[in-house]
Amino acid sequence: MDAADPELAGYFETAMPNPSVQPLFDRARALQIGFYLGYAERTPQGQHFNTAITVGPDGSILGKYRKVHLPGSREYRPAQQYQQLEKRYFEYGDMGFKAFRGPKVWNAPVLGMLVCNDRRWPEAWRVLGLQGWS
């Protein structure tokens, strides 16, 4: 099975927010809080990404990131005790490591996002750090 398998289609989101998570966006806006949300994304072109967004206290999406460093392999490896098959389901992220400003109510911090395995690689931190505006 891979991400193009019709059985897996229900696990991928084609829009954000969508009807399933709109109540979360609405409640966060009512409470004037932001949040970070990770999800499996399917683009209109049929690409599949391990994606995360940061949402501001007004419910707007402040930043979006697609995981770059996918661990493991595409195929099951019988000799390995533990399997990391993320490459089977996701493509490498194509958005780079972009920093962005948070809202004024958060004192306009410089923000960036990484997902899971991306945190293990120093170039991701370096690229985000080099964007720390003064």
Side-chain angles (χ1 to χ4, degrees), residues 40-93:
E41 175 190 18
R42 185 178 73 235
T43 70
Q45 298 77 29
Q47 296 170 291
H48 298 89
F49 296 104
N50 185 343
T51 301
I53 56 174
T54 298
V55 178
D58 64 353
S60 66
I61 295 175
L62 302 173
K64 181 176 179 177
Y65 174 72
R66 293 175 175 158
K67 186 176 179 181
V68 171
H69 298 97
L70 303 178
S73 60
R74 182 169 174 76
E75 300 304 324
Y76 179 79
R77 295 181 177 175
Q80 287 186 303
Q81 182 177 4
Y82 300 102
Q83 302 293 320
Q84 294 260 350
L85 298 174
E86 199 163 345
K87 291 176 184 171
R88 175 179 280 199
Y89 303 105
F90 299 109
E91 298 172 49
Y92 293 101

Side-chain angles (χ1 to χ4, degrees), residues 21-35 55-60:
V21 296
Q22 188 63 55
L24 174 64
F25 279 71
D26 295 343
R27 184 70 176 144
R29 186 181 308 108
L31 296 172
Q32 297 181 341
I33 60 172
F35 60 94
V55 178
D58 64 353
S60 66

